[in-house]
Amino acid sequence: MTNASRARSVHLLAAPAVFLALVAAPVPGMPYAVRGGIGLLIWMSWWWITSPVHLAVTGFLPLAVLAVFNFAPVGDVLGSYAEPLVILLIGANMLAVLWTRWGLDRRIALVALLGIGTAPRQQILAWFMIAALLSSVLPNTVVAAAMMPIVVALLKYLRIEDIGKSVFGSALLIAVAWGTSVGGSGTPLGGAPNLLAIQFLEQQVTHHEFLFTTWLARVLPLTVIAAVVSFLYMRVAFKPDMTRIEGTHQYFRQQLQDLGPMSRPEQWALGLFGAATLLAFTRQLYAPWLPGLAPAFVMLGAGLLAFVVRHRGEPLLTWEYAEPRMIWGLIYLFAGGTALGEILSRTGAAKFLADQLLTLADGGGPTTVGVFVLAAIALTQITSNTAAAAIAVPITIGTFQSLGQDPTAMVYLVTAAANYGLMLPSSSGGCAVAAGYGVDLKLMASAGLKLTLLILATLVIAGYVLVTFWPGFGVA
């Protein structure tokens, strides 16, 4: 047995062992339900961080564990696996697969990249910005998976075969990975952590529908600030092993010409996504007449249309093509995170943990912002951003509600921080895809650590200023 296999076995057994010890041994001041909720939090967090099983498998633990140990009714969390935002993820993913099916993602990236100059640093920064913009409305893993093959093709054109040994090659892949992470917090459609935070706010704080425009007004400015910090950092962080790239513009133009004019299926793909996104962000205009047409069902409807609309006798999208390409694991991870948050709330575990943090929540001062943002951004470096949000957001809500304070502002900050996984393959989908293409992991970790610290400091300062001087920042 290899060391990796031994470590996996240890993590596989140790996490449930800790859970069993907590539920079996009476602890003064901790009722059985609280011990069960905290034990499940430890178990799921442990497995999400160490990944002895797929992240999605961990997402199903709440159902199996509650059915056996009954520290909360299993029916209370069953609905988490079919919440409207789970449906939104499915619908948005259908549309993203439609882009891939007809090459629209590749065309958009190539059109944007045609304006880039031949300086290596310009290339790095441009790839970062394009990835950030795309990931604000598409899942970061989808954006990374669409853009990185273009990066690799470009590098091969430049005769860079071993990406891990090329600073420029690794820097381009890292730029895409970081762009997908930083841009993901910009809109609710940018990633599952955002939707998960919205879910928690709707269920545990506001008890009404959260409008996408509210997210734009509060969190998009934080995303822009983080993107600017990342942009400036990347100007000096990487020292490419070449001074000029020959033929880059010609390469992109040739690639675009090879695609030919935009096809009718591409037009449909762009139109369906554009219409669904527009309806999602203008919900308040038609809600009085169509109260049931929430963004989740708009996205699902647009996704279903892709299976109905036909081109030359064939549907734009078939289930046989879409099913293996959809990110089911992320969807079930999201559902499991929602279920865990519900359990922590219903069992009183979130309140118990929040009580332990009350001394740090000093009314919104810099220490408060720093502690919670640090916890979220540290978690997301070692586990997925969705898992980080699933752990950090419920505890944040519980802490501030215990103080009688509105937690909304801190939820915005914690969720933004949870998006910024920059260091390791486990930090985000973009980093994982980059690792798969052979990026220099040491470079990604060392440069990512420095950028993480910069973004942490920026979020703490910006968050404190917003919480202190903008009363409307904490509105949902």
Side-chain angles (χ1 to χ4, degrees), residues 30-95:
M30 289 181 67
Y32 174 69
V34 171
R35 299 199 310 274
I38 293 175
L40 183 60
L41 171 65
I42 293 172
W43 186 352
M44 294 180 71
S45 301
W46 195 324
W47 276 11
W48 272 334
I49 291 169
T50 61
S51 299
V53 297
H54 193 282
L55 297 176
V57 174
T58 304
F60 284 110
L61 277 179
L63 298 177
V65 170
L66 287 185
V68 174
F69 293 93
N70 197 35
F71 51 84
V74 69
D76 287 354
V77 300
L78 195 59
S80 298
Y81 294 83
E83 287 284 356
L85 292 178
V86 172
I87 304 302
L88 187 148
L89 272 178
I90 293 173
N93 199 207
M94 288 177 179
L95 294 175

Side-chain angles (χ1 to χ4, degrees), residues 91-106:
N93 199 207
M94 288 177 179
L95 294 175
V97 171
L98 180 63
W99 280 34
T100 303
R101 166 70 180 84
W102 295 102
L104 181 61
D105 49 2
R106 184 179 177 86

Side-chain angles (χ1 to χ4, degrees), residues 224-311:
V224 172
I225 293 171
V228 170
V229 169
S230 303
F231 185 91
L232 295 175
Y233 170 74
M234 291 173 66
R235 288 177 61 90
V236 298
F238 299 117
K239 296 178 174 57
D241 39 10
M242 58 178 65
T243 58
R244 183 177 176 82
I245 305 170
E246 299 298 335
T248 306
H249 189 275
Q250 292 89 332
Y251 172 78
F252 288 138
R253 183 169 295 283
Q254 183 59 52
Q255 290 289 304
L256 186 60
Q257 288 176 352
D258 291 345
L259 291 179
M262 182 178 282
S263 64
R264 182 58 60 86
E266 286 179 276
Q267 294 171 4
W268 269 105
L270 185 61
L272 286 173
F273 184 84
T277 302
L278 179 64
L279 287 171
F281 282 101
T282 56
R283 164 77 171 139
Q284 67 272 25
L285 299 180
Y286 61 84
W289 296 278
L290 295 170
L293 193 61
F297 306 113
V298 170
M299 283 290 173
L300 181 65
L304 293 177
L305 278 175
F307 294 91
V308 176
V309 176
R310 308 184 87 78
H311 174 67

Side-chain angles (χ1 to χ4, degrees), residues 87-151:
I87 304 302
L88 187 148
L89 272 178
I90 293 173
N93 199 207
M94 288 177 179
L95 294 175
V97 171
L98 180 63
W99 280 34
T100 303
R101 166 70 180 84
W102 295 102
L104 181 61
D105 49 2
R106 184 179 177 86
R107 181 184 299 277
I108 290 175
L110 287 170
V111 168
L113 289 165
L114 269 173
I116 303 173
T118 57
R121 280 194 172 86
Q122 283 181 273
Q123 288 280 333
I124 294 169
L125 295 173
W127 283 100
F128 168 78
M129 293 306 298
I130 292 167
L133 288 171
L134 288 176
S135 68
S136 67
V137 292
L138 290 169
N140 58 15
T141 305
V142 172
V143 174
M147 291 186 66
M148 286 192 191
I150 305 175
V151 173

